[in-house]
Amino acid sequence: MMSRAERTLFGEWWWTVDRSILFCIGILMLCSIVFGMAASPAVAERIHVSTFHFVNRQAIYLVPAISLLILTSFLSPRYVRRVALPIFLIGVVLMVGTLFFSADIKGSRRWILGIQPSEFVKPAFVVMAAWAFSEGARRKDLPGGIIAVLLLPLTLTPLVLQPDVGQTMLLATVWGGLFFLAGLHWFWVGGLMAAGSSGLYLAYQFIPHVTARLDRFLADKGTQDTFQIDTALESITSGGWLGKGPGEGTLKRILPDSHTDFIFAVTAEEFGILVCIGLILVFAYIVMRGFWLSRRNEDAFCRLAGAGLTLLFGLQSCINISVNLRLMPPKGMTLPFVSYGGSSLMSLALGMGFLLAVTRKRPRAEIIDPLPSHSLKVAPA
């Protein structure tokens, strides 16, 4: 065990970072391997690759993801902003590039150069919006509110054009949450909710991809159009409290995307509802802990960024689980740290690294000056 008096860089990080969130993230990463071994072999068999192809790739992805998570958590709040800015700008450019150079996959264009740029834009967007709101409140000479408002269409426009309505809704909701925390009046909250509802209606009317998904979701249960979500729900109910046992699930063999979007359903079938409840409690703890750490932070940027990143993580978890429970139409959104996916895993590691960085225990002076205290030299008298 390291002593609190140890003044090394790693020692200071260990005693200031929130270790309970780190522990919970580690549990989720371990679950991604265990549950992936249950869900992915059936998918690998369908596409004629080796049985543990996806499990092996997920294990490989975890190495850079863990490194990115830890390295990012060492950053000071100032460097969190400096790292987020180029990621955001490059990500938006690549999202625009998907509109011209990406192949159409399941009705949308999301991938370019082997990555999904929108995944990396999400945590960077939250940090940039939190900076704009906090600086606008602190400095009267900086139009922070205007910058925050302009960030929204800059980010959502390429998402709508892809189209990726799920990510659009997610980021718009998180942005609205940040706007409210920054002091938005309830009158404008109602206006934003009305605007969001209007946007969803327009998307349903004019985007065929969205129309098809909503129509399938609203169709009578048991029809061909509802096969995917009906099978997921049947997987959850068939497992009972204790599950059928690892590797004993049968519905995963016909469930599309069982290793990504519907890994929660496969987990319920093989490991039982009790394990799923435990998994939900881990997600809930991370969210509650993140909000608590953000609320007690004295710095406005750290408070908003921590709350926004926690909200982003929590909403994505809720959306994925809700889709599996047939409470929402499919969104193509992964279960954080559990579903298979390189871009998603790296993006989540970046976002949670940012969260750990802005919620670390620091003197207020260190929030302004990122230089570690152990590197300060005292001049001789």
Side-chain angles (χ1 to χ4, degrees):
M1 293 293 293
M2 286 175 292
S3 169
R4 289 181 180 271
E6 189 176 347
R7 304 304 292 174
T8 64
L9 181 63
F10 184 78
E12 288 191 5
W13 172 83
W14 177 253
W15 289 112
T16 57
V17 75
D18 191 81
R19 297 185 296 278
S20 63
I21 290 182
L22 266 179
F23 178 72
C24 288
I25 293 174
I27 292 177
L28 295 179
M29 289 182 172
L30 180 62
C31 288
S32 72
I33 300 298
V34 176
F35 298 156
M37 293 181 69
S40 64
V43 181
E45 182 181 342
R46 285 200 298 267
I47 63 175
H48 307 294
V49 295
S50 61
T51 302
F52 295 108
H53 170 80
F54 294 107
V55 177
N56 294 334
R57 288 177 65 89
Q58 184 77 349
I60 293 173
Y61 289 145
L62 281 175
V63 176
I66 294 172
S67 302
L68 179 62
L69 173 71
I70 294 176
L71 287 174
T72 306
S73 67
F74 273 88
L75 297 175
S76 70
R78 176 181 295 180
Y79 279 102
V80 167
R81 297 190 292 267
R82 292 182 177 180
V83 170
L85 178 58
I87 293 176
F88 174 76
L89 295 176
I90 294 172
V92 170
V93 171
L94 290 177
M95 282 199 301
V96 174
T98 61
L99 303 177
F100 302 98
F101 306 108
S102 175
D104 190 297
I105 301 176
K106 297 183 179 179
S108 61
R109 299 173 180 269
R110 304 178 185 178
W111 296 83
I112 188 172
L113 302 176
I115 63 172
Q116 189 174 346
S118 60
E119 290 288 346
F120 295 92
V121 167
K122 289 190 296 186
F125 167 78
V126 172
V127 171
M128 296 308 300
W131 169 82
F133 282 126
S134 61
E135 286 297 298
R138 188 175 68 89
R139 295 173 50 185
K140 301 303 180 183
D141 60 322
L142 182 69
I146 296 176
I147 294 174
V149 170
L150 293 177
L151 282 172
L152 187 65
L154 177 64
T155 307
L156 298 191
T157 300
L159 283 174
V160 172
L161 295 176
Q162 285 182 351
D164 191 343
V165 178
Q167 302 283 24
T168 302
M169 291 175 55
L170 177 63
L171 289 183
T173 304
V174 174
W175 183 89
L178 286 174
F179 207 161
F180 174 71
L181 292 174
L184 181 66
H185 193 275
W186 280 104
F187 173 80
W188 295 108
V189 173
L192 287 176
M193 293 177 64
S197 301
S198 301
L200 286 176
Y201 176 77
L202 292 175
Y204 176 76
Q205 291 294 327
F206 298 106
I207 302 178
H209 172 65
V210 178
T211 305
R213 283 203 170 186
L214 281 174
D215 286 344
R216 284 197 298 269
F217 176 72
L218 297 173
D220 292 334
K221 184 178 179 180
T223 64
Q224 183 64 29
D225 286 340
T226 64
F227 170 78
Q228 191 175 27
I229 50 180
D230 287 346
T231 305
L233 189 59
E234 186 179 353
S235 297
I236 294 173
T237 56
S238 66
W241 289 102
L242 301 177
K244 299 177 179 178
E248 298 299 321
T250 55
L251 292 169
K252 65 183 180 183
R253 301 185 181 280
I254 59 174
L255 179 61
D257 302 320
S258 60
H259 62 318
T260 53
D261 299 359
F262 293 99
I263 195 169
F264 185 83
V266 177
T267 301
E269 182 182 12
E270 299 201 354
F271 295 91
I273 294 176
L274 289 177
V275 171
C276 288
I277 292 174
L279 189 62
I280 292 173
L281 290 176
V282 174
F283 284 115
Y285 178 83
I286 294 175
V287 171
M288 297 303 295
R289 182 70 175 174
F291 280 137
W292 184 80
L293 291 171
S294 301
R295 182 179 180 274
R296 64 193 290 267
N297 204 306
E298 296 182 0
D299 182 75
F301 165 72
C302 292
R303 187 164 57 248
L304 286 176
L309 291 165
T310 302
L311 183 60
L312 179 71
F313 176 86
L315 282 177
Q316 181 168 335
S317 306
C318 287
I319 290 172
N320 178 276
I321 294 172
S322 297
V323 168
N324 279 256
L325 294 174
R326 207 179 187 273
L327 299 176
M328 294 179 68
K331 300 292 183 185
M333 203 169 293
T334 58
L335 186 61
F337 291 113
V338 178
S339 296
Y340 169 81
S343 294
S344 173
L345 186 60
M346 297 300 290
S347 166
L348 288 161
L350 179 67
M352 298 309 287
F354 283 159
L355 174 63
L356 292 170
V358 299
T359 57
R360 282 176 58 190
K361 302 172 186 176
R362 294 184 177 92
R364 185 171 179 82
E366 190 178 331
I367 296 177
I368 301 173
D369 184 1
L371 195 62
S373 58
H374 66 81
S375 63
L376 298 177
K377 302 298 182 181
V378 179

